[in-house]
Amino acid sequence: MASVTFKKIVKKYNDNLILDGVDLEIRDHEFVVIVGPSGCGKTTMLRLLAGLEEITSGDIEIDGLKVNDLPPAKREIAMVFQDYALYPHMTVKENMSFALKLRHFPKDEIEKRVKESASILQLEKLLNRMPKQLSGGQRQRVAIGRAIVRKPKVFLFDEPLSNLDAKLREEMRVEIARLYQKLNSTIVYVTHDQVEAMTLAGRVVVMNKGHIQQSGTPLDVYRKPQNVFVAGFIGSPTMNFLRGKIEKQEDFFYFSNQSVKIFLPLFSFPEVEKYSGKDVILGIRPDDIILDDKKIDHAHKISGNVEVIELLGHRENIYIKVGDQKILAVGEAFSNFSPGSLVEFSFNYKNIHIFDATTEKRINS
Amino acid sequence: MKRETAKQILIHLALISAAIICVYPLSRIFTVSIRPGDRVISTDLALIPDGATFLSYMKLLKETYFLRWLFNSLVITVTTSMIGVSLASTAAYAFSRFNFFGKKSAMIMLLSTQMIPAGMLILPLFLMIMKMNLMNTYLGMIIAYSVSSLPFSIWILKGYYDTIPKSLEEAAMVDGTGYVGAFWRVILPLSAPALSIAFLFNFTSAWNEYLVARVVLFSSKQYTWTLGLFELQGQFITQWGMFAAGSMLVTIPVLLVFLYSSKWLVSGLTLGSVKG
């Protein structure tokens, strides 16, 4: 197992800047998930680490050893590709033992390792099959098996579940989590699916436009997003963003725009005085909007009209309009709201996020 | 159901007609080859004529250098095909996978060589081979044939490589091979259908070639079968029986190569490798 360091990594394709001076430290045994929208540079990071692309400038180190000029074969990494990339002319067993044969492992050692990995991934009965005789999920398991037989220093996963259907994806997610507990190795996992990021990661690295936007535990990035991008990208349904100003009335501070006026208790925004009169963006997650009459802060409640209701089974999405401001709330299913009806709500002040309107950076601690 | 049956009947009719068109000339040549005397034209349409005899075959094998010509043809053709396929397979890989200066124009240049009529190449080929002192040699023939069939093979193989997902090589490289290893262990085995097509193309075009052979080879013992058979055609008389017998015999190697390579001509070799 090993640590991985990205030092000021720049990657350009002709004039297109894909990674713009990325710094990242991945500790030994850490499960790091790099997440971001398509084109943010996350897969490029993984391919640079694997040695499948050349770095424009900067250094990558594995266990303190600079690997910039090492070919993929010598980096002691194993990679699971998005499209499985199984060798179609080889059986499952041959696919899994290919790397070991190339490294001239003794036959009984190869046999032992393949058996071990096959049993972890329940592939024992499929060892003599060809890839075309396998289902999508089985192929993905073989691809993972091909990586784990190697016992590499670092595992790289490039959106390994994106080709699977929802149910299978869930199963494989659990399987990967179990595998990590068993192998306890360094894993770098790339995905655009925030559910995978939140459930699997020890640390989430959120990327956008070639920059790391935030790196932290899943709870960190969810509860304390450092900027508007992270706040909007992490969490489903997406956070509500309201643009407005901080106003002081008597001794109290409020966030206000043309449609809403929201009370801001000091504990939710201790630095509020500094921003009085300034433009800000207020973020609130749909599940931090309180609809329950017993829990609402009646002194500062807001009234709006229900526009649309989406029933999701156990929960429902309630789209509310307050003046010109649209707000999405999540409530218990069958909450007796109907489109057009009046609804009263307040915010869970503990989980209010305030961002500077110009820099879009978080300003409340 | 009825429509399906009608469709099947139509397809079969078309295939049977095509088969008859292909086989008929061959059957006539066979008839001529076993007809006594050197008669090409006869009112008899029977496949096995009256007094059928293999005398022409015996005479061809005993009284001419036919076996030698066949051997010459085989050496030249097999070597040409092997050189052609090995050079084309690596060149096509470079064209398919790497970006380099002049790649596009090189591909177009390769293609444009195919548009020059074969006759026009005779003189330059003759001059080149003569200057290299390779007249009347196997090597001269092999070089002449290889250069003319390479461009087409490269295009065929490049087209096929383009359909093989790049992630397969990348997986192989992460697993421990270099570019050459990935090419050898992953790309080549998956390209068997295209390689066999290229081999067949090289083989048949070299096997049946006459013009270049006519210019490069001049001693009867060095002849390929195409030149050899032509020798049977005299100024006043042509030995049609032997000519036909020779024509029948030369189809055998091509037939064998076709039969053998047909097992590689299977589709779907890359199935299951990546998400389809």
Side-chain angles (χ1 to χ4, degrees):
Chain A
M1 301 310 119
S3 60
V4 174
T5 313
F6 290 85
K7 283 184 182 165
K8 303 219 175 323
I9 295 296
V10 175
K11 175 67 187 173
K12 279 184 188 169
Y13 290 114
N14 302 322
D15 286 338
N16 288 341
L17 186 62
I18 309 296
L19 293 175
D20 187 8
V22 172
D23 283 303
L24 179 65
E25 283 249 18
I26 297 167
R27 291 181 295 274
D28 199 7
H29 302 296
E30 203 177 11
F31 194 140
V32 168
V33 176
I34 304 176
V35 68
S38 344
C40 71
K42 56 188 189 300
T43 297
T44 307
M45 289 247 315
L46 204 69
R47 293 175 61 82
L48 290 175
L49 176 56
L52 298 171
E53 306 270 353
E54 270 180 43
I55 303 167
T56 308
S57 73
D59 289 326
I60 294 181
E61 290 174 3
I62 298 178
D63 250 356
L65 175 74
K66 188 170 143 189
V67 295
N68 292 22
D69 300 321
L70 280 187
K74 298 213 166 134
R75 295 192 181 196
E76 291 187 63
I77 42 129
M79 184 159 171
V80 178
F81 288 82
Q82 182 176 8
D83 58 5
Y84 324 133
L86 299 180
Y87 310 123
H89 55 303
M90 297 181 196
T91 61
V92 169
K93 192 176 174 182
E94 286 165 342
N95 261 284
M96 287 170 73
S97 51
F98 183 70
L100 302 180
K101 276 184 191 158
L102 286 175
R103 286 173 172 74
H104 306 292
F105 272 65
K107 257 190 180 170
D108 43 344
E109 174 69 15
I110 296 178
E111 198 74 20
K112 198 183 118 201
R113 285 206 193 182
V114 169
K115 243 185 182 173
E116 217 173 81
S117 311
S119 98
I120 293 175
L121 293 161
Q122 294 144 32
L123 289 169
E124 294 110 319
K125 287 183 183 160
L126 308 175
L127 283 176
N128 292 319
R129 293 224 194 140
M130 301 302 279
K132 66 180 169 195
Q133 297 167 310
L134 305 176
S135 69
Q138 289 168 335
R139 281 180 207 170
Q140 193 52 274
R141 285 216 298 272
V142 177
I144 295 172
R146 191 171 63 180
I148 64 176
V149 284
R150 300 238 331 255
K151 299 189 179 164
K153 281 186 171 177
V154 187
F155 283 100
L156 313 180
F157 286 82
D158 182 14
E159 308 207 26
L161 309 184
S162 62
N163 281 333
L164 305 177
D165 60 53
K167 190 172 176 290
L168 212 52
R169 201 178 310 158
E170 217 165 278
E171 281 173 27
M172 285 302 294
R173 216 168 53 212
V174 177
E175 216 156 306
I176 290 175
R178 200 179 303 141
L179 201 69
Y180 173 62
Q181 286 164 13
K182 204 169 266 183
L183 302 171
N184 196 21
S185 31
T186 312
I187 296 182
V188 188
Y189 188 109
V190 159
T191 181
H192 63 267
D193 180 357
Q194 45 154 316
V195 181
E196 278 170 42
M198 298 298 279
T199 51
L200 289 171
R203 182 150 59 105
V204 178
V205 175
V206 186
M207 285 192 72
N208 190 34
K209 293 181 182 163
H211 290 275
I212 291 181
Q213 302 291 327
Q214 188 173 350
S215 160
T217 64
L219 208 61
D220 253 2
V221 289
Y222 185 78
R223 286 283 172 225
K224 297 264 182 236
Q226 288 307 301
N227 56 39
V228 172
F229 175 81
V230 177
F233 190 79
I234 299 288
S236 174
T238 324
M239 186 184 280
N240 294 293
F241 292 110
L242 292 76
R243 286 183 173 268
K245 265 187 176 21
I246 304 286
E247 278 178 9
K248 189 176 182 185
Q249 274 182 14
E250 294 163 9
D251 276 344
F252 298 108
F253 289 93
Y254 293 87
F255 165 90
S256 75
N257 63 20
Q258 281 181 336
S259 309
V260 289
K261 188 171 177 184
I262 299 160
F263 171 64
L264 290 178
L266 259 182
F267 71 85
S268 72
F269 190 13
E271 309 84 346
V272 66
E273 187 133 31
K274 216 165 87 189
Y275 291 91
S276 179
K278 289 192 176 160
D279 287 331
V280 294
I281 300 169
L282 182 143
I284 185 86
R285 293 201 186 278
D287 26 354
D288 286 323
I289 291 177
I290 303 164
L291 298 159
D292 187 344
D293 200 46
K294 288 175 204 155
K295 295 179 187 165
I296 285 182
D297 170 12
H298 283 279
H300 301 102
K301 67 186 175 190
I302 303 161
S303 305
N305 286 92
V306 175
E307 271 203 315
V308 177
I309 296 174
E310 290 174 338
L311 181 64
L312 303 170
H314 66 303
R315 314 271 283 164
E316 57 188 22
N317 289 342
I318 304 159
Y319 293 84
I320 303 167
K321 202 163 181 195
V322 185
D324 288 336
Q325 184 72 57
K326 287 180 178 176
I327 293 172
L328 169 62
V330 173
E332 296 289 320
F334 307 109
S335 53
N336 288 333
F337 292 117
S338 57
S341 66
L342 188 79
V343 60
E344 291 184 328
F345 59 92
S346 66
F347 289 179
N348 177 2
Y349 299 121
K350 271 196 306 189
N351 294 333
I352 279 180
H353 312 271
I354 313 279
F355 305 97
D356 186 301
T358 336
T359 61
E360 298 199 341
K361 284 195 173 146
R362 183 184 190 88
I363 48 181
N364 65 325
S365 50
Chain B
M1 191 67 191
K2 260 187 179 172
R3 231 178 124 174
E4 199 52 34
T5 324
K7 197 177 154 191
Q8 284 294 319
I9 291 172
L10 272 177
I11 290 173
H12 276 82
L13 275 177
L15 289 175
I16 290 167
S17 327
I20 290 172
I21 292 169
C22 291
V23 171
Y24 180 76
L26 206 69
S27 70
R28 297 320 301 158
I29 295 170
F30 175 69
T31 311
V32 173
S33 76
I34 56 172
R35 190 177 285 153
D38 279 327
R39 287 175 296 131
V40 185
I41 299 162
S42 160
T43 49
D44 185 10
L45 280 177
L47 182 66
I48 313 281
D50 288 339
T53 169
F54 283 101
L55 200 68
S56 297
Y57 287 89
M58 305 294 283
K59 269 170 72 180
L60 180 74
L61 296 176
K62 279 187 180 164
E63 295 172 15
T64 68
Y65 290 124
F66 183 75
L67 283 178
R68 172 81 200 196
W69 299 333
L70 215 54
F71 174 76
N72 293 342
S73 280
L74 267 178
V75 172
I76 293 167
T77 308
V78 172
T79 319
T80 301
S81 311
M82 278 162 57
I83 290 177
V85 170
S86 11
L87 288 180
S89 62
T90 41
Y93 183 67
F95 277 119
S96 169
R97 289 300 195 254
F98 301 107
N99 277 323
F100 50 86
F101 177 74
K103 171 175 160 175
K104 218 172 176 184
S105 28
M107 282 303 284
I108 292 170
M109 247 167 68
L110 280 176
L111 192 66
S112 57
T113 58
Q114 298 296 287
M115 292 166 191
I116 301 168
M120 275 179 69
L121 292 173
I122 296 293
L123 189 63
L125 270 177
F126 169 75
L127 290 173
M128 269 167 54
I129 291 167
M130 194 176 66
K131 278 190 178 163
M132 288 193 284
N133 234 351
L134 293 173
M135 291 296 281
N136 206 32
T137 61
Y138 286 157
L139 191 59
M141 291 294 290
I142 289 164
I143 290 174
Y145 286 164
S146 298
V147 293
S148 49
S149 59
L150 251 180
F152 182 72
S153 308
I154 292 175
W155 266 90
I156 287 190
L157 287 166
K158 185 214 173 264
Y160 194 83
Y161 291 156
D162 286 346
T163 66
I164 299 177
K166 222 179 164 185
S167 57
L168 287 182
E169 286 145 277
E170 291 176 346
M173 284 193 266
V174 169
D175 269 348
T177 69
Y179 267 114
V180 178
F183 172 68
W184 185 252
R185 290 166 192 270
V186 177
I187 301 299
L188 270 190
L190 293 179
S191 307
L195 291 172
S196 57
I197 295 259
F199 186 87
L200 274 179
F201 167 77
N202 281 303
F203 191 93
T204 44
S205 50
W207 185 254
N208 296 323
E209 208 283 332
Y210 175 82
L211 263 180
V212 174
R214 176 87 279 171
V215 173
V216 177
L217 305 175
F218 46 75
S219 79
S220 186
K221 270 194 160 182
Q222 283 297 94
Y223 279 179
T224 54
W225 69 264
T226 47
L227 295 183
L229 283 195
F230 197 74
E231 262 209 338
L232 302 177
Q233 211 174 358
Q235 193 178 357
F236 302 109
I237 188 166
T238 301
Q239 293 155 302
W240 288 116
M242 276 159 68
F243 201 95
S247 304
M248 288 308 294
L249 290 177
V250 296
T251 57
I252 294 170
V254 183
L255 207 67
L256 289 177
V257 171
F258 260 94
L259 282 177
Y260 179 72
S261 55
S262 66
K263 78 169 182 177
W264 302 107
L265 294 175
V266 282
S267 60
L269 267 187
T270 51
L271 277 185
S273 61
V274 295
K275 169 78 179 172

